[in-house]
Amino acid sequence: DTGVSQNPRHKITKRGQNVTFRCDPISEHNRLYWYRQTLGQGPEFLTYFQNEAQLEKSRLLSDRFSAERPKGSFSTLEIQRTEQGDSAMYLCASSLGAGSDTQYFGPGTRLTVL
Amino acid sequence: GIQVEQSPPDLILQEGANSTLRCNFSDSVNNLQWFHQNPWGQLINLFYIPSGTKQNGRLSATTVATERYSLLYISSSQTTDSGVYFCASENQAGTALIFGKGTTLSVSS
């Protein structure tokens, strides 16, 4: 397994459009996380899945954002009615889930909203 | 919640120099990790170090959990070490990493 993968790597969209990003975690990892990173800042937590269950959502995750992880494998993050403030790098991470353990990050999807 | 502060915010070095990056956290640390973010945005795991000292080549890290800080040492720096270094601590619920704002390192030849 080559690690966490994310698609697309870059997305440019117009304000008001919907966008969807995909994350494929490391195959045996039960936990999956989404983060958002803006310029000059560290990544900020958005949401977390244990297998297919979404167990925690940050208050950063407005009602325009929705994430799914069907069958506990890949995950999608959808942003509806995008706004210019949504422009950021969206990072996905996964971990084994056996207590405190290491999170491994994907390369990210960079979103630009015009 | 846990607050993570990193210093210095920026660091400029000549190739071959040594450096120390610091991470302070406000509460008991869980799952303290150090990452290097390369110019393409990829976060690369350096250390998982909730306590003690670890070394990997020219890099080493020490976490003193009782005093709520961690240090990352880079020896004989190379231009490829340039990028942003983040430390992150797991939140109390164990469901997310809380990141500092990072230290931007620039190594010139």
Side-chain angles (χ1 to χ4, degrees):
Chain A
D1 192 298
T2 56
V4 180
S5 62
Q6 293 186 245
N7 287 288
R9 295 292 306 278
H10 303 274
K11 179 70 176 178
I12 300 174
T13 191
K14 292 183 179 178
R15 190 174 50 190
Q17 298 295 303
N18 299 342
V19 294
T20 300
F21 310 141
R22 176 177 170 127
C23 170
D24 288 89
I26 295 172
S27 58
E28 65 269 25
H29 283 187
N30 296 320
R31 293 187 174 186
L32 187 146
Y33 313 79
W34 285 97
Y35 293 82
R36 182 175 71 183
Q37 185 178 21
T38 54
L39 200 62
Q41 302 296 317
E44 296 174 290
F45 170 72
L46 291 178
T47 190
Y48 151 66
F49 290 85
Q50 173 82 31
N51 297 312
E52 68 275 10
Q54 188 175 19
L55 298 183
E56 185 165 337
K57 292 192 283 189
S58 160
R59 61 177 180 271
L60 292 176
L61 210 68
S62 77
D63 56 6
R64 296 184 297 105
F65 288 67
S66 62
E68 295 181 342
R69 193 183 181 195
K71 302 178 183 178
S73 54
F74 70 92
S75 176
T76 58
L77 178 68
E78 181 183 16
I79 309 174
Q80 295 182 327
R81 305 181 303 281
T82 52
E83 301 174 355
Q84 287 186 326
D86 297 330
S87 295
M89 175 79 91
Y90 290 84
L91 295 162
C92 175
S94 70
S95 70
L96 272 173
S100 294
D101 60 353
T102 303
Q103 291 188 24
Y104 295 91
F105 282 78
T109 294
R110 185 170 297 281
L111 173 66
T112 302
V113 182
L114 302 176
Chain B
I2 295 173
Q3 305 291 320
V4 179
E5 294 185 356
Q6 293 187 242
S7 60
D10 301 282
L11 192 55
I12 300 173
L13 299 175
Q14 287 285 328
E15 203 167 27
N18 302 329
S19 61
T20 301
L21 283 58
R22 186 177 179 102
C23 175
N24 292 330
F25 34 90
S26 61
D27 206 339
S28 300
V29 69
N30 298 312
N31 192 0
L32 196 289
Q33 293 185 232
W34 281 97
F35 296 89
H36 175 215
Q37 190 166 42
N38 66 22
W40 298 272
Q42 174 75 58
L43 278 165
I44 299 164
N45 297 73
L46 296 178
F47 295 101
Y48 165 64
I49 185 164
S51 64
T53 297
K54 290 186 178 179
Q55 181 156 8
N56 184 3
R58 296 182 296 104
L59 273 60
S60 65
T62 295
T63 296
V64 183
T66 53
E67 297 187 23
R68 300 179 181 173
Y69 73 88
S70 184
L71 302 174
L72 178 69
Y73 305 95
I74 305 174
S75 65
S76 304
S77 57
Q78 301 176 358
T79 55
T80 52
D81 295 331
S82 296
V84 185
Y85 290 80
F86 290 102
C87 68
S89 173
E90 198 170 65
N91 64 2
Q92 295 294 347
T95 54
L97 286 176
I98 309 300
F99 283 79
K101 290 189 175 183
T103 293
T104 301
L105 175 64
S106 299
V107 182
S108 58
S109 57

